[in-house]
Amino acid sequence: MNIMNTEVNNRSFEIVLEDSKTCDELIGYIKNNDNNLTISMRDYGGFEKVGNLRTSLTTDNRNITTSKGDVMLYQGNQIVIFYDSNSWSYTPLGKVKENYLDSFEDILISGNIEATFSIKQDNF
């Protein structure tokens, strides 16, 4: 199981990543950034945070109805974290671990954020 750690406002949560070429590319990109990638994310539509990865990844877009905790790739270069649902075409990246979801919405719902993504070295 591939785990990505994420920190927002000094609070951490874990994302279980999909087993896919896209996630392999994301892991490599984060590792090439000293295993620490900070992205400015803005609120969009009252249901998600979206931020530019500053690189493009392979897409495998599908029409998906998301739910709280889903993490998706949009247009190949934007990471999206959902705190509510939406239906659109995305490439799945992963899902926030269930034990974080109760406090998850409180972390994300407050305006624009800085999210720092890192990879647990013992998972790879």
Side-chain angles (χ1 to χ4, degrees):
M1 178 178 356
N2 298 329
I3 305 290
M4 181 168 61
N5 295 318
T6 307
E7 185 173 315
V8 175
N9 297 329
N10 296 317
R11 295 179 64 190
S12 297
F13 54 93
E14 295 180 330
I15 298 168
V16 178
L17 295 174
E18 297 277 326
D19 183 17
S20 69
K21 180 178 181 178
T22 304
C23 286
D24 290 344
E25 291 174 6
L26 178 61
I27 291 165
Y29 182 64
I30 292 171
K31 285 183 174 183
N32 286 336
N33 281 284
D34 295 323
N35 199 41
N36 220 351
L37 179 63
T38 300
I39 299 174
S40 296
M41 302 185 83
R42 68 188 184 289
D43 196 70
Y44 181 82
F47 51 82
E48 70 184 32
K49 298 295 187 199
V50 61
N52 191 323
L53 283 172
R54 300 180 301 272
T55 193
S56 290
L57 305 176
T58 299
T59 60
D60 182 18
N61 291 333
R62 322 172 205 163
N63 288 327
I64 298 173
T65 298
T66 64
S67 60
K68 179 168 68 169
D70 284 341
V71 181
M72 301 287 174
L73 182 67
Y74 176 65
Q75 294 187 335
N77 66 352
Q78 297 189 49
I79 192 165
V80 183
I81 305 174
F82 289 88
Y83 58 88
D84 206 339
S85 64
N86 186 40
S87 294
W88 202 259
S89 183
Y90 302 104
T91 298
L93 294 176
K95 177 87 173 170
V96 172
K97 277 187 163 182
E98 187 74 29
N99 56 317
Y100 293 96
L101 288 179
D102 286 342
S103 61
F104 182 68
E105 192 171 344
D106 294 338
I107 296 170
L108 292 186
I109 205 158
S110 60
N112 295 341
I113 61 169
E114 294 283 316
T116 300
F117 300 93
S118 62
I119 302 297
K120 282 187 162 181
Q121 293 298 322
D122 56 340
N123 288 322
F124 303 96

